[in-house]
Amino acid sequence: MAKNESCCSTQLIDGDGSFNDAGIEHFIKEVKLAECGLSYAVVSIMGPQSSGKSTLLNNLFNTNFREMDAFKGRSQTTKGIWMAKCAGIEPCTLVMDLEGTDGRERGEDDTAFEKQSALFALAVSDIVLINMWCHDIGREQAANKPLLKTVFQVMMRLFSPRKTTLMFVIRDKTRTPLENLEPVLREDIQKIWDSVPKPEAHKETPLSEFFNVEVVALSSFEEKEDQFREQVANLRQRFFHSIAPGGLAGDRRGVVPASGFSFSAQQIWKVIKENKDLDLPAHKVMVATVRCEEIANEKYAAFTASETWSVLEEAVQSGPVSGFGKKLNSVLSTFLSEYDAEATYFDEGVRSAKRKQLEDKLLQLVQPAYQTMLGHLRSETLEKFKEAFEKALSAGEGFSVAAHNCTKSFMATFDERAADAVVELANWDSSKVRDKLHRDIDAHVASVRAAKLAELTSSYEAKLNEALSAPIEALLDGANNETWPAIRKLLQRETASAVSGLSSALSGFDMDEQTKDKMLTGLQDYARGVVETKTREEAARVLIRMKDRFSTLFSHDSDSMPRVWTGKEDIRAITKTARSASLKLLSVMAAIRLDDAPDNIETTLTSALVDTKSNAAAVTDRSITTYDPLASSTWEQVPSSKTLITPVQCKSLWRQFRAETEYSVTQAISAQEANKRNNNWLPPPWAIVALLILGFNEFMTLLRNPLYLFVIFVGFLVIKALWVQLDIAGEFRNGALPGLLSLSTKILPTVMNLMRKLAEEGQVPVNNNPQRNAAMASKSYQNGSSSSDTSSIASSGLTSSGTGTVYNSPTKED
């Protein structure tokens, strides 16, 4: 292997196990290791052959170890142990590239040399990288478990304890997260440590006394080179200042000064080479080991390629397979029998051990299919249980009875089908899947139970809401002394009915009394809540209801007929009655009285708002202030939680109520006064007597000369016609002066028009003579028609603008 300026390298131990004394001395001088004192670190790497150890070191430490050429085939690249100086890392760091384990080139000598080289690396290095493929995790040989076990045991016997960092580098990381891989590795290392026989001095010594264990993972160099280099660059940073406290080699003990490194390394390798515990096993055992392992690997490969297994594995992915256990047992037995036949003449101990390994590998291979089969059985059983359970409930079967019967039936079905899938060679327990099924069934039953109970509760709550809301609104609308007793009676009756119905419905759920009582109590509380909520809603509209009640009582009599204010009604008494009824409504809605507790709300409101005489008593001494019972935010004997309208709010509402109903009272008084004025059209009695006495002569004159009466009547008709034509009442509606000005412009044209019409009427036939019609109108008046109607007919006839007949139907009907 060539050298360059930034990285010096040499072969420390050749492939035959010879230590390169001259080479190491030259290397130490060239890298000036002797000048470093204790400030140096040694890193080594071990792992399977062709696993990319040299590639990792070259990328990690900028070394120049020879790498395998993949295009020439997979073969041994590194022989013996090579050492190089890491470029660009402080402190001075030496790295050793060990020959790969499990190589075909060495043959029988492979095991001895790999144990020696691994033991040497552990004895000399501060940090040991164990390179391994991700898919080898959990395997025995590929994961270096036997090797580490031997190394741990021999190291404790040969060397004084020194703290070494074991960094497991997982190569070609798959999708499996590192946090799932790391515990497996740590568990394996701990098991190896626990199984190693220890000297008395280290019987209780923990693994952490000798080793720090680190685990890292790297992506594939060939498939994800950029990602691999980025991860290696991050890992490289951890080797800077590695011997500092807290660094990768910060806990090392008994470090050899740099000037004595060469001699120390030679002595360590010498001790390892002379160690008899590392001798090769007997040839017979070795041959048996190799051959039996080959046979086992052949049978394992043949099993994985077997069409029977492939078909079975593919079928179980899509659903449960009938007779799964029998089929799998048959194919497993076939391949194990073939192994027994081929390995029968090899060492019995090795043969049995390898057969056991083959069994474990085969069972490990088929276990996912077995678990998938159980998963299908669980899912299918659960779905059928749900269907059967729903049908049983729909058929009217009691909930608890249906749940118990269905659970028992389908659990038995699962047990029967799980027994059909059992693999005889494995001692696998399906109880976990069975327990999971049982939990799923219980969870489904619980969810259906909760849904049914919620549905029942909601149903009875809806019935309570419907049974209470409208009646309570009606009772509060007609508030009186019996309102709250009636509400309490209604609440008690409807609650008892709902509780009884719910209690009967719950009998099929087989629940404990405490839970049942809790649900029934909750329904009772809901009923009270409906009443309280509805009452609060109505209390928020109390002012509107008070005004409606006042309007109803004030504007209608006892027979519910609208009042006509003729002047005989006692408006003060009617107003007081209507306001008292409105105050009664306010007192009823001021608080919730579901507990039949006495209170003085109505008395307080009446004395403070209606009995004005007692409140209006004069106080001669101005220094004395009258106590206001409504100047408070709470009622006596009424808790705040039951208060709907506080005293202060009642006072404010009453003030607003009086202000908004004052207009109705004023209008009634005005209507009454106007009615009185309209009914008093006659002059006073003394005026009537005076007119009779003073006008006696004129009256007698009219009686003696009927022509005067006719003239007066005709004058009345003319004036009436002018009144209608000029709309005198309408003209004076806007005032006297505007009315006079308007009439002054309209009177002359109206008179001329009236005269023209009279002239035209004089030319019509006799049967349409106005004098005859006037006489007929007079006759009608004498027969009982009102004077206003007759005059209207006459005036309309005189003022008609048509060219036809002036008097129509009245003349004919008369």
Side-chain angles (χ1 to χ4, degrees):
M1 188 173 293
K3 298 181 289 183
N4 59 28
E5 297 179 357
S6 60
C7 176
C8 301
S9 61
T10 187
Q11 188 177 36
L12 185 62
I13 299 173
D14 62 17
D16 298 327
S18 300
F19 195 90
N20 187 4
D21 300 338
I24 189 63
E25 291 293 339
H26 176 74
F27 173 80
I28 289 175
K29 289 178 182 180
E30 189 171 0
V31 301
K32 300 179 181 180
L33 182 63
E35 300 175 4
C36 295
L38 298 178
S39 298
Y40 74 99
V42 181
V43 180
S44 61
I45 188 168
M46 56 187 290
Q49 178 178 299
S50 303
S51 62
K53 299 188 299 302
S54 300
T55 302
L56 174 60
L57 293 180
N58 291 339
N59 283 274
L60 183 60
F61 300 112
N62 293 334
T63 54
N64 57 359
F65 295 117
R66 190 164 68 91
E67 300 178 5
M68 183 188 73
D69 188 353
F71 293 96
K72 295 181 179 180
R74 305 186 67 85
S75 62
Q76 187 179 49
T77 304
T78 302
K79 296 183 179 181
I81 300 176
W82 285 77
M83 176 175 283
K85 179 182 181 295
C86 301
I89 293 182
E90 291 295 334
C92 177
T93 301
L94 305 179
V95 60
M96 295 191 302
D97 187 11
L98 274 66
E99 179 179 320
T101 62
D102 199 25
R104 65 182 179 81
E105 286 80 4
R106 284 193 173 271
E108 298 179 355
D109 191 47
D110 178 48
T111 304
F113 185 82
E114 72 180 29
K115 290 180 181 180
Q116 292 171 350
S117 59
L119 186 56
F120 176 78
L122 286 171
V124 173
S125 304
D126 301 302
I127 304 168
V128 177
L129 304 180
I130 300 178
N131 198 55
M132 60 188 306
W133 285 310
C134 183
H135 56 261
D136 282 337
I137 295 176
R139 296 181 178 179
E140 192 70 17
Q141 296 293 341
N144 300 291
K145 292 181 183 179
L147 175 63
L148 287 176
K149 182 175 182 180
T150 303
V151 168
F152 286 168
Q153 180 178 357
V154 176
M155 181 181 175
M156 285 189 299
R157 182 167 58 85
L158 294 180
F159 307 103
S160 60
R162 63 189 308 273
K163 202 63 169 288
T164 304
T165 298
L166 293 181
M167 177 175 285
F168 288 83
V169 182
I170 302 174
R171 302 292 296 277
D172 295 355
K173 179 181 175 297
T174 61
R175 295 181 179 179
T176 306
L178 179 61
E179 54 267 28
N180 293 343
L181 298 173
E182 184 174 350
V184 177
L185 279 175
R186 292 186 178 274
E187 183 180 1
D188 290 344
I189 295 299
Q190 187 62 46
K191 287 181 178 179
I192 294 172
W193 179 259
D194 294 338
S195 63
V196 170
K198 304 178 184 65
E200 290 297 327
H202 300 295
K203 281 291 186 182
E204 303 299 328
T205 303
L207 174 66
S208 58
E209 185 70 17
F210 288 88
F211 300 102
N212 289 326
V213 179
E214 298 280 344
V215 181
V216 297
L218 301 177
S219 300
S220 172
F221 175 76
E222 296 180 358
E223 298 177 2
K224 302 178 181 178
E225 183 176 354
D226 294 338
Q227 189 173 353
F228 172 82
R229 294 187 183 278
E230 180 182 354
Q231 293 170 350
V232 167
N234 294 333
L235 179 59
R236 175 181 172 84
Q237 299 300 318
R238 301 188 63 183
F239 289 86
F240 283 85
H241 308 292
S242 59
I243 63 174
L248 284 177
D251 295 330
R252 63 178 184 167
R253 296 190 295 266
V255 59
V256 176
S259 59
F261 176 79
S262 175
F263 179 77
S264 175
Q266 293 180 50
Q267 293 301 313
I268 290 175
W269 180 248
K270 181 179 178 181
V271 172
I272 291 175
K273 289 288 288 183
E274 294 176 353
N275 180 34
K276 306 228 182 257
D277 291 341
L278 295 178
D279 286 344
L280 293 175
H283 179 74
K284 180 180 179 181
V285 175
M286 175 58 71
V287 173
T289 301
V290 173
R291 186 61 187 132
C292 289
E293 187 167 352
E294 288 179 353
I295 296 172
N297 290 337
E298 290 174 1
K299 298 310 172 186
Y300 180 81
F303 179 85
T304 56
S306 170
E307 183 179 357
T308 305
W309 161 244
S310 299
V311 172
L312 188 61
E313 184 182 26
E314 184 178 354
V316 82
Q317 298 301 321
S318 58
V321 177
S322 179
F324 175 83
K326 292 181 180 179
K327 295 177 181 178
L328 189 55
N329 288 325
S330 175
V331 67
L332 286 173
S333 299
T334 299
F335 285 94
L336 288 173
S337 298
E338 292 177 0
Y339 169 85
D340 293 335
E342 294 184 27
T344 184
Y345 298 107
F346 291 102
D347 182 80
E348 182 179 357
V350 175
R351 184 181 70 236
S352 300
K354 295 303 178 182
R355 189 186 194 280
K356 183 66 171 63
Q357 292 178 9
L358 176 61
E359 285 184 12
D360 293 342
K361 289 175 64 177
L362 291 175
L363 292 178
Q364 185 178 3
L365 177 67
V366 302
Q367 187 175 20
Y370 173 75
Q371 294 297 332
T372 302
M373 177 65 181
L374 292 182
H376 288 315
L377 293 179
R378 182 187 63 81
S379 300
E380 187 177 276
T381 305
L382 180 61
E383 291 303 319
K384 290 183 178 180
F385 168 83
K386 292 179 180 179
E387 296 176 3
F389 186 49
E390 185 65 28
K391 289 181 180 179
L393 293 179
S394 300
E397 191 173 351
F399 186 90
S400 298
V401 175
H404 178 268
N405 293 340
C406 290
T407 301
K408 183 178 179 181
S409 174
F410 282 92
M411 289 304 298
T413 301
F414 174 82
D415 292 339
E416 181 180 350
R417 300 187 66 184
D420 184 59
V422 168
V423 179
E424 296 177 355
L425 292 175
N427 189 23
W428 293 332
D429 187 6
S430 63
S431 60
K432 290 184 178 180
V433 180
R434 188 182 191 280
D435 293 341
K436 179 66 168 60
L437 173 61
H438 207 295
R439 289 195 300 270
D440 291 343
I441 290 177
D442 290 343
H444 178 71
V445 171
S447 65
V448 174
R449 183 175 186 270
K452 293 292 184 181
L453 291 177
E455 182 181 351
L456 274 176
T457 304
S458 299
S459 173
Y460 280 96
E461 287 178 352
K463 291 179 181 178
L464 275 175
N465 191 52
E466 182 180 358
L468 293 174
S469 295
I472 288 174
E473 182 177 354
L475 288 172
L476 292 175
D477 186 47
N480 53 48
N481 292 331
E482 298 300 322
T483 296
W484 281 107
I487 291 176
R488 288 193 294 270
K489 185 176 180 181
L490 173 67
L491 174 62
Q492 183 179 4
R493 182 179 69 249
E494 296 299 335
T495 302
S497 175
V499 167
S500 176
L502 180 59
S503 179
S504 300
L506 294 177
S507 60
F509 285 87
D510 191 23
M511 61 174 56
D512 58 276
E513 290 298 324
Q514 184 177 0
T515 305
K516 183 177 181 180
D517 292 342
K518 184 177 180 180
M519 292 187 64
L520 297 179
T521 303
L523 186 62
Q524 294 173 349
D525 294 340
Y526 176 82
R528 290 179 66 92
V530 170
V531 175
E532 293 182 1
T533 301
K534 192 62 182 179
T535 306
R536 293 183 190 277
E537 292 176 0
E538 296 302 315
R541 299 192 291 266
V542 66
L543 181 60
I544 298 174
R545 293 197 176 278
M546 289 170 65
K547 291 190 293 185
D548 291 344
R549 175 169 288 196
F550 176 85
S551 176
T552 300
L553 296 178
F554 185 77
S555 303
H556 297 78
D557 57 19
S558 59
D559 295 329
S560 298
M561 298 296 293
R563 293 185 189 274
V564 178
W565 303 105
T566 61
K568 299 178 182 180
E569 296 81 12
D570 187 353
I571 293 181
R572 181 181 297 276
I574 294 173
T575 301
K576 185 174 182 180
T577 301
R579 285 178 175 172
S580 297
S582 299
L583 186 68
K584 180 67 177 179
L585 178 64
L586 180 62
S587 67
V588 168
M589 291 191 179
I592 299 173
R593 301 175 176 90
L594 292 180
D595 298 327
D596 196 17
D599 60 70
N600 57 355
I601 295 178
E602 183 176 3
T603 303
T604 303
L605 290 176
T606 302
S607 62
L609 301 177
V610 176
D611 296 342
T612 56
K613 291 183 179 181
S614 60
N615 293 334
V619 180
T620 55
D621 188 356
R622 292 184 179 181
S623 62
I624 301 176
T625 59
T626 305
Y627 170 72
D628 186 357
L630 298 183
S632 174
S633 60
T634 58
W635 298 102
E636 294 183 5
Q637 303 176 338
V638 178
S640 58
S641 61
K642 302 299 182 183
T643 300
L644 299 178
I645 308 173
T646 64
V648 174
Q649 291 173 337
C650 286
K651 186 175 182 179
S652 176
L653 287 171
W654 185 256
R655 186 183 299 112
Q656 186 177 353
F657 165 75
R658 286 178 63 92
E660 294 183 11
T661 57
E662 196 70 31
Y663 178 76
S664 299
V665 178
T666 303
Q667 287 293 100
I669 294 174
S670 299
Q672 201 175 57
E673 292 177 353
N675 198 3
K676 289 180 180 179
R677 287 195 300 271
N678 292 336
N679 291 335
N680 293 336
W681 58 274
L682 292 176
W686 61 269
I688 296 175
V689 174
L691 287 174
L692 291 176
I693 294 174
L694 296 176
F696 181 75
N697 293 333
E698 287 75 6
F699 182 71
M700 294 304 296
T701 301
L702 290 174
L703 293 178
R704 294 190 187 97
N705 298 282
L707 183 60
Y708 290 158
L709 293 174
F710 178 75
V711 172
I712 292 171
F713 180 70
V714 171
F716 169 76
L717 294 178
V718 172
I719 292 172
K720 181 67 176 178
L722 288 174
W723 182 280
V724 173
Q725 283 290 320
L726 294 175
D727 190 19
I728 294 176
E731 295 293 344
F732 282 91
R733 188 178 297 114
N734 297 324
L737 183 58
L740 291 174
L741 292 175
S742 178
L743 290 176
S744 64
T745 60
K746 294 170 61 177
I747 188 168
L748 183 60
T750 303
V751 172
M752 294 299 294
N753 185 37
L754 185 61
M755 295 298 294
R756 184 176 67 253
K757 290 185 179 297
L758 289 175
E760 292 175 356
E761 291 296 330
Q763 299 176 4
V764 300
V766 177
N767 61 342
N768 290 328
N769 194 308
Q771 294 180 355
R772 181 174 179 273
N773 290 332
M776 292 176 66
S778 176
K779 181 178 179 182
S780 174
Y781 172 77
Q782 294 174 357
N783 289 336
S785 299
S786 65
S787 61
S788 61
D789 294 341
T790 306
S791 61
S792 299
I793 295 172
S795 62
S796 64
L798 289 173
T799 60
S800 173
S801 60
T803 59
T805 304
V806 176
Y807 292 97
N808 299 322
S809 60
T811 302
K812 295 177 182 180
E813 290 175 359
D814 198 344

